[in-house]
Amino acid sequence: MANDISSRSWFIDTAGAGVIYQPQEFIKFIEVVGGAAGAQGGAMATINDRNGKNIVTALYQTVLAGEIQTYNLENWFEGLIVPTLGVGVTLRVHIK
């Protein structure tokens, strides 16, 4: 699939070193939705701004599939990069 940033709720399912969104954006909250089961303490997702500054590092809290984590941010960020996503993990980035 491909990342979709065409609405106010972005759907991210593809990680990469490139910038997904370049301009400044106001992120209300991010939902990290697990796919396959992962090792407890392993990386689910790493989310950075365009300068490489870490916004969220989501780690598996359980060994069960389908884990959901919500990060309430309510802040401005300079762009978006998602260098790491676990197997089947997707992000819902809710912007203002």
Side-chain angles (χ1 to χ4, degrees):
M1 295 188 65
N3 298 328
D4 181 5
I5 60 170
S6 63
S7 66
R8 290 177 49 192
S9 181
W10 297 349
F11 179 79
I12 309 295
D13 65 354
T14 306
V19 177
I20 294 171
Y21 188 75
Q22 183 69 28
Q24 188 179 56
E25 77 278 351
F26 187 91
I27 298 177
K28 295 192 289 187
F29 63 98
I30 296 176
E31 294 173 289
V32 182
V33 182
Q40 193 170 7
M44 270 180 93
T46 303
I47 305 163
N48 298 334
D49 70 7
R50 71 177 179 218
N51 301 313
K53 181 181 174 190
N54 186 259
I55 297 172
V56 169
T57 298
L59 303 176
Y60 285 100
Q61 303 297 308
T62 71
V63 294
L64 305 174
E67 177 178 347
I68 299 173
Q69 297 180 17
T70 302
Y71 296 88
N72 186 21
L73 301 171
E74 294 283 337
N75 208 344
W76 288 97
F77 294 95
E78 296 286 333
L80 188 72
I81 301 172
V82 180
T84 307
L85 277 179
V87 176
V89 174
T90 59
L91 305 176
R92 309 301 192 282
V93 181
H94 299 270
I95 60 170
K96 192 169 188 177

